[in-house]
Amino acid sequence: MRLPLLLFFPVILAAQNAPPLPPPSGFRVMIVPDMEGMGSVVDVHEVIAGTEGEQYRTLTSDDYWNRFRGLLTKEVNAVIAGARTAGAGSFVVNEGHGGNLFANILPWDLDTAAILVRGFPKPLIMVTGIDSTVGTLIFPGAHASAGMPGILSHNFAFDAFTVNGTKLNEVGINALIGSEFGVAVSMVSGDDVLIRETREILGNDFVGITTKYAVGRMAAITFSPAKVRRMLEDSASVAVRRAMRGAFKPYRLAKPYRVEFMLRRSYPDMVVQGVDSLHWQGLEKTGDRSYRLVTQDARQMGYLLDAIERVVLH
């Protein structure tokens, strides 16, 4: 039974207080994997489980998503292996891919040293659980933002998203949230479009791994999965060594943050009505599908993104 969207608003507020992570045993790495930027992925069928809503049920099959979630788990394990070689001792993996409602990694195959954050909803979505015990952020399998010519490019629920006039992709948004805790991004992997776009946002101050070269939104020149895993492991070792030396700086923008976004044009009107019904404090509607939020804390931006995702995936 579909409940009125207004009923979810009190739950959204209560969910903002996530429990703290257990104390780390050594340098802590938070790994936020997505699927679109993985090695070999080129098609929506490979990253959708079919459980995300009625409109997604025809976009998958066992021959696609089930196989690629196994590859996703192996890529995350490769990052952990590289980080461990560099001296890291604590690993938090927060599922960043919305397919299967943020539950794609195979827990029984994940490195046993990792704490896994999975499922939906979760208050800061891709960086839920982040705190000052995290030493660095790593984003494997990331993708370019909406309108970019990268593989399966998009940006949460938006056709456009800026902070203080700066266009941010999903890595940039979460890097800004991470800065509230003094945490910097040390490594990002994805297609060549994603790496170029992220360098425009964060600068050159991260280790970038190109997993494939986009030749269209659903076609790419790819490397073998085994080669991609070697690249991820080697690069994670380099990135974490540098992070432990304090070589990376948190991504900063001037406060207050002026957040402006436009919901996807492909969404039905009921999604717009659902976002309007949130009555989010400080959220101003500036057009048919455009909004503005001014805040001193990037976490408030993250909480709002979670609320919007609930409307979209409800």
Side-chain angles (χ1 to χ4, degrees), residues 158-176:
F158 313 115
D159 278 339
F161 191 100
T162 64
V163 177
N164 297 353
T166 299
K167 177 184 173 183
L168 297 185
N169 58 15
E170 290 182 6
V171 173
I173 291 170
N174 288 289
L176 188 60

Side-chain angles (χ1 to χ4, degrees), residues 133-242:
T133 69
V134 173
T136 191
L137 274 166
I138 291 178
F139 291 88
H143 53 80
S145 58
M148 297 294 289
I151 300 298
L152 300 173
S153 56
H154 65 278
N155 191 358
F156 287 109
F158 313 115
D159 278 339
F161 191 100
T162 64
V163 177
N164 297 353
T166 299
K167 177 184 173 183
L168 297 185
N169 58 15
E170 290 182 6
V171 173
I173 291 170
N174 288 289
L176 188 60
I177 296 172
S179 73
E180 300 288 347
F181 302 91
V183 182
V185 175
S186 60
M187 179 176 133
V188 181
S189 75
D191 66 29
D192 57 317
V193 179
L194 173 277
I195 296 298
R196 287 198 306 271
E197 181 185 46
T198 305
R199 293 208 183 281
E200 291 176 0
I201 297 167
L202 302 184
N204 292 319
D205 194 23
F206 67 89
V207 176
I209 304 94
T210 301
T211 58
K212 55 198 171 190
Y213 293 86
V215 295
R217 195 169 180 274
M218 295 177 67
I221 300 167
T222 71
F223 300 112
S224 76
K227 178 173 180 176
V228 169
R229 290 195 293 272
R230 288 195 299 271
M231 293 163 62
L232 291 172
E233 182 172 348
D234 293 346
S235 298
S237 180
V238 171
V240 170
R241 283 194 179 94
R242 291 180 60 191

Side-chain angles (χ1 to χ4, degrees), residues 62-82:
D62 286 346
D63 290 337
Y64 289 96
W65 173 70
N66 273 333
R67 291 179 181 271
F68 278 91
R69 68 189 300 219
L71 290 180
L72 170 67
T73 309
K74 290 180 180 179
E75 287 198 5
V76 172
N77 284 341
V79 173
I80 293 174

Side-chain angles (χ1 to χ4, degrees), residues 33-89:
D34 211 335
M35 289 190 75
E36 290 88 354
M38 288 171 50
S40 302
V41 164
V42 295
D43 191 284
V44 68
H45 293 79
E46 296 162 350
V47 299
I48 293 295
T51 60
E52 301 83 1
E54 190 62 37
Q55 68 270 36
Y56 296 96
R57 298 196 191 284
T58 61
L59 296 180
T60 191
S61 79
D62 286 346
D63 290 337
Y64 289 96
W65 173 70
N66 273 333
R67 291 179 181 271
F68 278 91
R69 68 189 300 219
L71 290 180
L72 170 67
T73 309
K74 290 180 180 179
E75 287 198 5
V76 172
N77 284 341
V79 173
I80 293 174
R84 182 182 286 114
T85 299

Side-chain angles (χ1 to χ4, degrees), residues 227-268:
K227 178 173 180 176
V228 169
R229 290 195 293 272
R230 288 195 299 271
M231 293 163 62
L232 291 172
E233 182 172 348
D234 293 346
S235 298
S237 180
V238 171
V240 170
R241 283 194 179 94
R242 291 180 60 191
M244 293 175 71
R245 297 197 303 266
F248 303 103
K249 303 303 179 186
Y251 177 60
R252 307 284 190 187
L253 291 174
K255 294 185 178 183
Y257 303 124
R258 183 185 176 93
V259 182
E260 296 181 283
F261 58 86
M262 179 180 292
L263 292 172
R264 293 188 197 178
R265 297 175 185 86
S266 60
Y267 286 154

